[in-house]
Amino acid sequence: MNTPYPEPFFTPDPKDTAASRIADFARHAGVDGSDYAALHRWSVTDLEGFWGAVWEYFDIDADTPYERVLAEETMPGARWFPGATLNYAHHALRHVPDDGVAILALDETGAAYEVTGQRLRAQVASVAATLRDLGVGQGDRVVGYLPNTPHAIVAFLATASLGAVWSVCGQDYAPKAAADRFAQLEPTVLITADGYLFNGTTHNRREAALELARALPTLKATLLVDHVGLPWPSQNHPSLVIPWEDASTRTEELTFAPVPFDHPLWVVFSSGTTGLPKGIVHGHGGVLLEHLKTLALHSDLGPGDRLLWYTTTHWMMWNLLASTLLTGATTCTYDGSPAPFARLDVLWELAARHRVAVFGTSPQYLLGMAKYGIDPSAHDLSSIRVVGCTGSTLPASAYPWVRDHVGDHALLASISGGTDVVSGFAGSAPNTPVWAGELSAPHLGVALSAYDTEGAPVTDQVGELVVTRPMPSMPLYFWNDPDGTRYRDAYFSSYPGVWRHGDWITVTGHGSVIVHGRSDSTLNRNGIRLGSADIHDVVERLPEITEALVIGAEEPDGGYWMPLFVVPAPGVALDDALREKIKDAIRTGASPRHVPDEILEVPGIPHTRTGKKLEVPLKRLLQGAPVEQVVNPAAVDTPELIDHYARLGAERRDRSA
């Protein structure tokens, strides 16, 4: 039986495709750029040819040449570009002209200021010299407790220029949560700000910053950034204190330490919802090539363009945002709420005023705009070529809204990836069609498949997201994992030599990818696997519901409980009529087997600090696991909700006893 496939929601204009950077790259590589499927097939069957072409196309400036593109194709442990020495920071700073805008700093008040290429290079040279004077060298760690402002990018590039290792988190993290990450690294220097803006409030983080410094006994110095204009206390500093103004205004020569391709660049951390967060280490060369591919080829960024992607510094999208500089484009930092009460549409206003080419956000944001009746088209959004969306599954219902309220000229690029590879596995490109509710195709260089329970690839069936050949940005290792046990267990325990990411996906017959949610939180009713995202999509379209979360919990007696938790919209009560409406919507929009056992009203849905619903920890709480074994409250956006779900689980178990 032939599977009927829907028509594409969006088909790129051939003239736009021909003018894109991905088409130019394909011509350079001697491959047909009009056929993305053929280009992708080449990119994963000839890894050396593809990644060698990426190196040549972007004119990677290595201090010493590589001996071979891929010396060992093993997972984990692939050896990419052995012999090459280079520096990420050199490539980030080489393309922005002195008088061009490298960074555009924005905040929720609508204020803006520019950092030119000349100023950025001067600040990086100055901060690097300050760090060098403090004894920071190759392999030492520098950490940032900073909002999303130019200071964070300057500090990162200065650190990378020395061959030192960077890590950062936002100041909405409590000091203990930040210390849970940074103390593992035994950092030499902490760079921190006095506070940040959010929803009309200036958040004072001076005492939090000093508390964090006291929790890091290896510090030699703390650099203090005056971001919101709050005076620093004059005493009780646990280490040498250097004002950012002094550190960043020296006249110094900009130099770069050549490091091996796989030299550590940064440590990004898992959400840390259970136990200490995992420190994931990525290398200079792997990030350089992967981010050039993602930003220049998939997002079509280049000199003269601007990218505005709402993120915090502890989400991997900040790392990608910083890498915008690699392409010669301008990166926009943003300090504030994505939708402050006073001006819910401020991001669209800023995108219009500053002629942004790539606008990046999350499904929650787009759905919230639709629910609150915000019309972005009140602003001139004609400059936006790509609306990027990641963090969770973007439901099909959002696609018409974006077309109608942003414009049919913009490619809506839903992306799925991970902190683990600090990039995407699947998404869109200028030469791919878009199907509503689907990711257009696997990214170039990503040998993606869906595996069934026997470890065989399947099409048009739900399976495990796997990557069967290495990517340059796969982790070098986990921090404090000397024998690699935690790393192998995280990705390679199910299918030896094959990366298992932990998502349920369907690879369709027309080459797109549908993400159904995390495989470890998958609903399994009578042996039939259901994706939680399929239910969330349907329920969260209803105007009466703000947010929803479905859990499938195995019970001791062999039973299976599948409750749906909902947060009603303001002024709405969850009554029997609304419950029936929700059930009918699920039957129609998903299937009868997706209908939950119960629909329960809750005050809120907790998330990780990167915006992912806390599905697995809440499932374990409902099953009776102790809170302290299940979730670290410091890693949750609303920790006060944890006890609510623990009580719900206890009450159910009491009723069943």
Side-chain angles (χ1 to χ4, degrees), residues 346-564:
V346 67
L347 287 177
W348 300 109
E349 176 190 328
L350 290 169
R353 188 192 319 161
H354 298 290
R355 308 304 293 162
V356 164
V358 176
F359 180 91
T361 185
S362 66
Q364 261 184 314
Y365 177 81
L366 294 176
L367 295 171
M369 291 286 104
K371 281 198 170 182
Y372 287 105
I374 303 300
D375 184 5
S377 65
H379 308 284
D380 177 6
L381 302 177
S382 58
S383 66
I384 295 179
R385 298 197 304 268
V386 178
V387 176
C389 189
T390 193
S392 58
T393 302
L394 181 65
S397 59
Y399 286 68
W401 184 88
V402 172
R403 177 194 60 205
D404 296 343
H405 295 273
V406 178
D408 58 8
H409 62 281
L411 171 72
L412 178 51
S414 182
I415 305 163
S416 182
T419 300
D420 321 72
V421 293
V422 78
S423 186
F425 293 120
S428 297
N431 55 350
T432 59
V434 174
W435 290 267
E438 303 175 15
L439 285 67
S440 296
H443 274 190
L444 296 178
V446 181
L448 180 145
S449 287
Y451 270 16
D452 65 14
T453 53
E454 304 301 316
V458 292
T459 302
D460 289 323
Q461 296 180 37
V462 177
E464 288 270 7
L465 188 163
V466 299
V467 180
T468 60
R469 302 192 74 183
M471 298 166 57
S473 66
M474 284 176 172
L476 303 177
Y477 50 86
F478 286 174
W479 198 263
N480 290 338
D481 181 30
D483 64 356
T485 299
R486 294 173 67 208
Y487 182 17
R488 289 191 298 274
D489 287 349
Y491 310 114
F492 301 103
S493 58
S494 298
Y495 311 106
V498 172
W499 174 290
R500 171 191 171 273
H501 191 62
D503 282 343
W504 286 129
I505 63 167
T506 298
V507 177
T508 72
H510 55 262
S512 69
V513 178
I514 302 171
V515 180
H516 302 284
R518 295 294 293 171
S519 58
D520 48 12
S521 62
T522 298
L523 312 170
N524 189 340
R525 259 188 170 170
N526 302 317
I528 297 172
R529 297 178 301 189
L530 311 174
S532 57
D534 301 329
I535 296 174
H536 299 160
D537 175 13
V538 171
V539 177
E540 291 174 354
R541 292 186 210 177
L542 299 173
E544 297 91 344
I545 301 301
T546 298
E547 195 171 14
L549 173 70
V550 66
I551 295 290
E554 298 81 5
E555 297 188 297
D557 61 359
Y560 190 76
W561 181 44
M562 197 173 104
L564 174 68

Side-chain angles (χ1 to χ4, degrees), residues 107 133 329 509 594 625:
D107 69 33
D133 288 350
H594 286 79

Side-chain angles (χ1 to χ4, degrees), residues 108-119:
E108 65 177 37
T109 70
Y113 69 86
E114 298 176 348
V115 179
T116 64
Q118 182 179 38
R119 183 181 172 199

